[in-house]
Amino acid sequence: MNEPATHSKRSRLTRLAENLHERFTSLGCSLEQAYAELTLEVPAETLIEVATRLRDEADFAFEVLIDVCGVDYSTYGKTEWQTREAPNTGFGRGVVRPGKPELVEQQRFAAVYHLLSMSNNQRLRLRVFVDSEQPIVPSVNSLWSSANWFEREAFDLYGILFDGHPDLRRLLTDYGFIGHPFRKDFPLIGQVEMRYDPKQERVIYEPVSSVEPRTLVPRVARDDNRYLRDNDEQESSDA
């Protein structure tokens, strides 16, 4: 009963993929398709040109920017967590599994944009890798006004700078906050803690002393499709 609708959706996705590949490959873009979703990887230097065409050309018509977020890929593809025969404490639960791609050091941070075309009923994800030492990407606030607070959030949490943003200030953390809390090297206990000092009659900040560093790794044993192949191989070897 749902087969025609599914076929129509697949056809739209295929046409979109073909159009993206034809028009943006020459601008250094690459396309990835997985789980019925498209991700267009865009060089930072061509982001504004690509984004403008995606918004204005009728074949794309991505009028709406749903979100801009940051990503820290610093440990991508390096470890997974054991869920069986693992200790309760420490970092011994991390295991290296072959076959996972590893990103180069210069690709630690990325800005990710989620676009929606209401006219064509289709979605697209853009991903822009930024330099790890100086994570700067052009602001798209002039193209989609919704980018204003989204870019401020990514700046606050990941330290990604959006060149040309009209008011790039922290959005979620407190005044004088040190560091960017969504980076994977940010300590779980934070850098400083705050308390009210009755003698000074004000809130003061001081180094963290009331929180002990700890490993927050849940011990979870799952039986789902991620482990079916491992279980089948184990049963075959036992037989």
Side-chain angles (χ1 to χ4, degrees):
M1 185 174 181
N2 294 328
E3 186 172 341
T6 303
H7 177 73
S8 176
K9 181 178 179 181
R10 186 178 301 113
S11 299
R12 288 200 309 272
L13 192 70
T14 301
R15 288 197 301 271
L16 176 59
E18 291 173 350
N19 287 333
L20 290 169
H21 186 270
E22 177 184 350
R23 302 188 195 185
F24 296 115
T25 301
S26 61
L27 295 175
C29 301
S30 60
L31 189 65
E32 177 183 338
Q33 181 172 344
Y35 306 107
E37 295 180 344
L38 294 174
T39 300
L40 185 67
E41 189 170 312
V42 184
E45 57 270 18
T46 60
L47 173 62
I48 298 301
E49 180 180 353
V50 171
T52 302
R53 293 177 59 181
L54 288 173
R55 185 195 64 177
D56 296 342
E57 293 184 10
D59 287 339
F60 305 119
F62 288 104
E63 314 100 334
V64 182
L65 175 66
I66 298 177
D67 192 19
V68 180
C69 57
V71 183
D72 182 352
Y73 287 101
S74 60
T75 58
Y76 180 78
K78 294 183 179 179
T79 61
E80 289 189 357
W81 294 112
Q82 294 181 359
T83 57
R84 296 181 182 279
E85 301 177 358
N88 289 320
T89 59
F91 292 94
R93 299 170 60 84
V95 295
V96 176
R97 179 164 294 187
K100 280 269 191 171
E102 293 191 17
L103 299 178
V104 297
E105 182 63 28
Q106 290 76 15
Q107 293 182 320
R108 175 179 174 180
F109 298 110
V112 179
Y113 306 76
H114 297 271
L115 306 181
L116 169 65
S117 171
M118 295 186 292
S119 305
N120 298 327
N121 189 24
Q122 56 192 16
R123 297 172 184 267
L124 177 65
R125 180 188 299 110
L126 305 182
R127 181 170 63 177
V128 181
F129 282 102
V130 295
D131 184 81
S132 299
E133 297 299 324
Q134 294 181 321
I136 303 176
V137 64
S139 172
V140 297
N141 184 70
S142 60
L143 301 176
W144 297 283
S145 59
S146 60
N148 193 316
W149 280 25
F150 295 150
E151 291 180 346
R152 285 181 58 188
E153 181 181 32
F155 161 68
D156 191 359
L157 301 179
Y158 290 93
I160 297 174
L161 300 170
F162 293 88
D163 186 28
H165 190 283
D167 186 23
L168 195 62
R169 293 176 292 128
R170 288 187 180 270
L171 183 67
L172 300 177
T173 55
D174 198 5
Y175 298 107
F177 191 89
I178 300 174
H180 304 282
F182 276 18
R183 290 189 174 189
K184 291 183 178 178
D185 55 4
F186 188 85
L188 293 177
I189 62 174
Q191 306 280 11
V192 296
E193 60 183 2
M194 56 183 290
R195 65 178 178 85
Y196 180 76
D197 189 315
K199 294 183 178 179
Q200 301 184 47
E201 297 183 344
R202 66 180 181 90
V203 172
I204 64 172
Y205 293 85
E206 54 193 9
V208 178
S209 60
S210 62
V211 182
E212 291 292 332
R214 60 196 184 282
T215 303
L216 300 178
V217 180
R219 183 187 177 99
V220 180
R222 299 184 178 92
D223 289 307
D224 57 29
N225 60 345
R226 288 176 294 174
Y227 306 102
L228 290 179
R229 186 180 65 179
D230 295 342
N231 292 338
D232 292 343
E233 292 176 354
Q234 181 64 39
E235 291 176 1
S236 299
S237 61
D238 292 342

